[in-house]
Amino acid sequence: MSKKALGPSMVRILVGAGKAAPTPPVGPALGARGVKSMDFCKEFNARTAHLTPGIPIPTVITVQPDRTFTFVTKTPPTSYFLKKAAGIEQGTGKPGHGVAGTVSLKHVYELAKIKATDDHLKHLPLESIASTIIGSAKTLGIAVVP
């Protein structure tokens, strides 16, 4: 006998805004849980229609045992924002040794304001969020200048 899922299962995927399609990664992730991926794609594309198409949106999908689903969209990843602000395609191959680009402290605080709207960061002060963004910039090889 196979085991039945007792509670809801969570699926985390990164999908481009307005570009959800029942192809990988959406199709296989939801199909394995018995959810019609086309229903998710239509609803996701409708919710992200106001955003620039193609911006990566982290999405958490909660699939109930009766195969219904709900999903929460979050703000794009910090690395996406930093690369856009620095005007680069990808970070440096050796973080700490080479500099791929630069961003100003003003950019960092603007990114912190955007990231502060996420539910899991609402309780943190803006300075803490900015310091994590600076850490992400160092990892990408982006220098933060005053």
Side-chain angles (χ1 to χ4, degrees):
M1 241 172 127
S2 65
K3 289 185 179 180
K4 285 266 184 184
L6 297 176
S9 63
M10 307 263 288
V11 181
R12 295 175 187 194
I13 54 175
L14 190 67
V15 185
K19 302 247 181 192
T23 57
V26 177
L30 295 178
R33 288 161 179 82
V35 176
K36 292 181 181 174
S37 56
M38 201 59 217
D39 294 342
F40 166 77
C41 293
K42 286 179 184 174
E43 195 174 334
F44 178 85
N45 290 338
R47 263 200 225 176
T48 59
H50 66 282
L51 299 172
T52 306
I55 292 177
I57 304 292
T59 308
V60 179
I61 307 165
T62 306
V63 180
Q64 301 297 331
D66 64 350
R67 296 183 179 168
T68 59
F69 66 91
T70 57
F71 67 95
V72 177
T73 57
K74 300 181 179 182
T75 57
T78 305
S79 60
Y80 171 79
F81 283 132
L82 285 169
K83 288 189 270 188
K84 279 291 212 188
I88 58 173
E89 287 292 318
Q90 65 182 28
T92 182
K94 289 185 168 184
H97 297 287
V99 177
T102 59
V103 293
S104 69
L105 208 51
K106 182 180 178 185
H107 283 110
V108 171
Y109 271 96
E110 289 299 319
L111 296 179
K113 286 180 189 174
I114 294 169
K115 294 301 280 184
T117 61
D118 268 352
D119 285 336
H120 66 285
L121 296 174
K122 281 187 189 267
H123 67 283
L124 293 174
L126 202 59
E127 291 80 21
S128 298
I129 299 170
S131 68
T132 60
I133 291 173
I134 291 171
S136 296
K138 285 181 183 177
T139 311
L140 285 169
I142 297 174
V144 179
V145 295

